[in-house]
Amino acid sequence: MTTRTQSGPPPLEGVRRILIVRLSALGDTLMSSPAAQVIKEAFPECHISWVVGRHAYPVLEGNPYIDSVYIWDGGLPSVLRLIRELKQGQFDVSLDLQGLIKSALIPWVARIPQRITFSNSREGSRFLATQCVTVNRTIPTPSGRTLAMLASLGLPVNPSRHRMVLYLSERHRQVAHQQLTRRNLAPKSFVLLAPATTRPQKHWTMDRWAQCADRLRRDLSLPVVLLGSASDRPLLETISSLAQSPIPTLWHLSVKEACAVIEQALLVIGTDSFPIHASVALGTRTVALFGSTRGDRFAGEEGVRVVDHPLPCRPCGRRPTCGGLFPCMRLITVDEVIGAVESLLGLTFAER
């Protein structure tokens, strides 16, 4: 088996069945979602399938550009079942948008004849591909890298139109509306705080979240809600206890129900995690706090303000060099965040 670098468009004309592999996580799966739209528009008759981890499946559920979704659970029985199903699918091409050994193994074991990935894929996964595509290493996001790959493959890409796709049903919206009504909150009247992160180097301090909530309520007369998952409940309750008065919390909703709350918020404040990407996808104003990762992914996005501080150690990603001090996040002040909110909602406040 040989791996070659892309030097021209692959023979996608006439391809009947394409498999996209992006297993996780919620935010990265959402940022990769424009791939299906680009392919479907270029080849309307093509059947597009996607392999995704169960936790991230809700992000793809209902996507009108995806014909079928395969669930990857990670365990051996699940993998064997998945491989059998993929072999029956008779796919012509796979696109590995994750670039890890686990994502490369799936189409390789399923014997998909044409397997495309990035030339800088990690863990040696490129050696399981039949074709590698080189994209600019400085592109900071899965969405940018995905669109760059598809453009290199000869597909027409328009970043202003090929954007993140997040489908919400009326049931999701009804649940969100009920939860907000119980808390006496009207749609587009409240600020949603999403403090939970997957890594400590992306975390803003709990006392500043509480101070931010106090300032929003006292100075801007804006109701505030804390959003997270069930595992985030202790964090949300601690922040609420630090505030001058308790903050309503939402921690028991499904992924899509939480997204429906995000859709109904006036504005979302969060760190580099799924809620801010969902907020951008749904067209809700967003204040994004960035430290160890890069915030330029939102450059030029209407309705988004990034709050960060340039430091020579940024971005450090998963390898912080500050010994757990995380000055990149501690430098972000409550005043800066409130200023970003006022900037986004300036017209609204002028009319108050």
Side-chain angles (χ1 to χ4, degrees), residues 246-277:
I247 307 170
T249 61
L250 289 170
W251 50 264
H252 56 288
L253 301 178
S254 71
V255 171
K256 285 294 189 67
E257 291 164 356
C259 288
V261 173
I262 289 171
E263 182 184 50
Q264 296 189 37
L266 176 66
L267 182 142
V268 172
I269 304 174
T271 56
D272 182 14
S273 56
F274 175 68
I276 63 168
H277 296 97

Side-chain angles (χ1 to χ4, degrees), residues 33-44:
S33 63
Q37 180 183 358
V38 173
I39 297 170
K40 183 64 79 172
E41 289 181 353
F43 307 107

Side-chain angles (χ1 to χ4, degrees), residues 58 61 166-180 190 192 227-228 250-265 274 282:
E61 183 184 17
L166 185 57
Y167 169 81
L168 299 178
S169 70
E170 285 308 308
R171 185 190 67 79
H172 298 134
R173 293 186 171 100
Q174 288 173 3
V175 171
H177 180 73
Q178 291 169 358
Q179 293 296 323
L180 294 172
F190 63 95
L192 193 68
L227 178 71
L250 289 170
W251 50 264
H252 56 288
L253 301 178
S254 71
V255 171
K256 285 294 189 67
E257 291 164 356
C259 288
V261 173
I262 289 171
E263 182 184 50
Q264 296 189 37
F274 175 68
L282 294 167

Side-chain angles (χ1 to χ4, degrees), residues 34 37-38 147 157-164 300-301:
Q37 180 183 358
V38 173
L147 294 179
V157 169
N158 183 347
S160 65
R161 192 167 60 82
H162 296 136
R163 301 173 59 81
M164 294 181 287
E301 282 279 2

Side-chain angles (χ1 to χ4, degrees), residues 107-128:
W108 183 75
V109 176
R111 298 180 181 176
I112 297 176
Q114 188 173 350
R115 303 179 299 277
I116 303 172
T117 191
F118 298 102
S119 59
N120 62 345
S121 293
R122 292 169 286 168
E123 303 174 348
S125 58
R126 66 186 182 278
F127 296 111
L128 298 181

